[in-house]
Amino acid sequence: MNAFASLLAEQTFDTPANVAFGIVAVLMIIAALRVVTTDNVVHAALWLVVVLGGAGINYLLLQAEFVGITQILVYLGAVIVLFLFGIMLTRAPLGKSDDLDNNQRPLGVIVGVITVAVISFALVSTWGDDKLTFEAYDGPMAQAGNNRTQALANEVFGPQLIPFEVLGVMLTGALIGAIVLARRD
Amino acid sequence: MLLNQFLLLAAILFSIGVYGVIVRRNGVLVLMSIELILNAVNINLVAFSTFHGLDGQVFALFVIAVAAAEVGVGLAIVLLIYRNRRSVDIDELDELKG
């Protein structure tokens, strides 16, 4: 029960942010369940849109605006389109189909329930009622005003520059690899 | 707001993604479940970044980029499987089974 109380945040149910979080969280969980249980492949992709958009709203609630906007641009703009293309190119059945799940459903339910139980127990016993402090956003950023995106840019193009460049090389390699794999020759 | 409300939401999403990876047969649907898992991790990273500095947000951006690359390569592989076998049922891909 403690887990659900924390999820709905009854203790600090005094801000609109908590109400927004509760609505978005319930929507995200329902949509995620539909992604893994629906028997229509296209509907799974469209429910995934709700989950990814909800994650973007969560980032906004966590005051990580740049990550939220990137989430919406990259995931909703690019990844979902890729998924829909993949569905169409593999000629998946557009209507209902009964054979999307294998016969391991009980095992999957057991593993999922155990996973969420263990992680929830660990989280509740470790962080309990810790409140978000946003202390990482204080200091230089607080003095400079509402410049969290600028601070993030300073981080990416400063200490994290080499990983960022490596990431660019990896993206290029992955996309060239995808073209080589999917090319008809 | 509590830290735990984001972490517990991410835990539930993660477990739903694990269930999807175990249960689904269609390769595209398995990739969607992996996206659920990666998004759960991202929510954790951004939530922790409110405590420990902006590294978590930077890492979340990296995960988003890696996930985009993963979907590209994964769908290329699924397309290749479909072209060779006329099916994307990953339960039939057992050539490597001993």
Side-chain angles (χ1 to χ4, degrees):
Chain A
M1 282 313 292
N2 197 1
F4 284 106
S6 298
L7 191 65
L8 296 172
E10 283 175 355
Q11 295 95 329
T12 57
F13 212 76
D14 51 352
T15 56
N18 272 322
V19 180
F21 173 82
I23 295 169
V24 171
V26 170
L27 270 178
M28 280 175 77
I29 291 169
I30 292 172
L33 284 172
R34 293 299 292 154
V35 171
V36 296
T37 56
T38 183
D39 50 6
N40 188 326
V41 190
V42 180
H43 287 182
L46 297 179
W47 280 113
L48 192 63
V49 171
V50 178
V51 181
L52 300 176
I57 294 172
N58 270 329
Y59 301 151
L60 295 183
L61 288 176
L62 287 164
Q63 302 188 15
E65 295 95 344
F66 186 75
V67 184
I69 298 300
T70 309
Q71 164 92 6
I72 288 168
L73 280 178
V74 174
Y75 270 114
L76 301 192
V79 171
I80 290 293
V81 174
L82 265 181
F83 273 128
L84 289 174
F85 266 105
I87 289 167
M88 285 188 266
L89 289 173
T90 54
R91 304 227 179 103
L94 290 182
K96 283 189 175 185
S97 51
D98 301 327
D99 56 347
L100 288 178
D101 284 0
N102 57 23
N103 55 3
Q104 293 178 337
R105 203 178 289 180
L107 179 71
V109 172
I110 292 170
V111 170
V113 169
I114 289 177
T115 311
V116 76
V118 170
I119 297 177
S120 302
F121 176 76
L123 290 176
V124 170
S125 65
T126 307
W127 278 286
D129 295 334
D130 284 8
K131 287 193 171 59
L132 287 176
T133 56
F134 299 106
E135 65 188 18
Y137 305 155
D138 291 340
M141 279 164 270
Q143 288 156 17
N146 196 8
N147 289 335
R148 291 184 288 265
T149 302
Q150 186 181 359
L152 188 61
N154 288 337
E155 184 83 10
V156 171
F157 294 108
Q160 312 280 354
L161 181 62
I162 291 175
F164 185 73
E165 298 289 342
V166 172
L167 183 76
V169 175
M170 190 218 71
L171 258 181
T172 312
L175 292 182
I176 293 173
I179 293 170
V180 170
L181 279 177
R183 198 166 153 258
R184 211 185 287 269
D185 49 10
Chain B
M1 287 192 286
L2 298 177
L3 174 65
N4 248 345
Q5 62 194 81
F6 292 96
L7 301 186
L8 289 171
L9 172 66
I12 292 171
L13 287 182
F14 180 88
S15 303
I16 293 172
V18 169
Y19 169 82
V21 171
I22 291 174
V23 165
R24 292 302 209 181
R25 300 171 74 175
N26 188 318
V28 181
L29 290 172
V30 171
L31 284 176
M32 287 184 202
S33 303
I34 294 174
E35 289 303 309
L36 284 180
I37 294 176
L38 290 171
N39 268 280
V41 172
N42 266 352
I43 292 175
N44 272 358
L45 285 171
V46 176
F48 281 124
S49 82
T50 62
F51 279 123
H52 299 295
L54 287 167
D55 286 349
Q57 290 187 33
V58 176
F59 214 87
L61 288 174
F62 286 3
V63 171
I64 289 174
V66 171
E70 173 253 336
V71 169
V73 177
L75 282 178
I77 293 171
V78 170
L79 273 182
L80 201 63
I81 291 169
Y82 174 76
R83 199 177 298 146
N84 287 332
R85 308 178 63 111
R86 295 284 125 189
S87 154
V88 288
D89 190 341
I90 53 176
D91 284 358
E92 294 172 5
L93 301 174
D94 53 0
E95 281 94 350
L96 286 177
K97 198 193 273 180

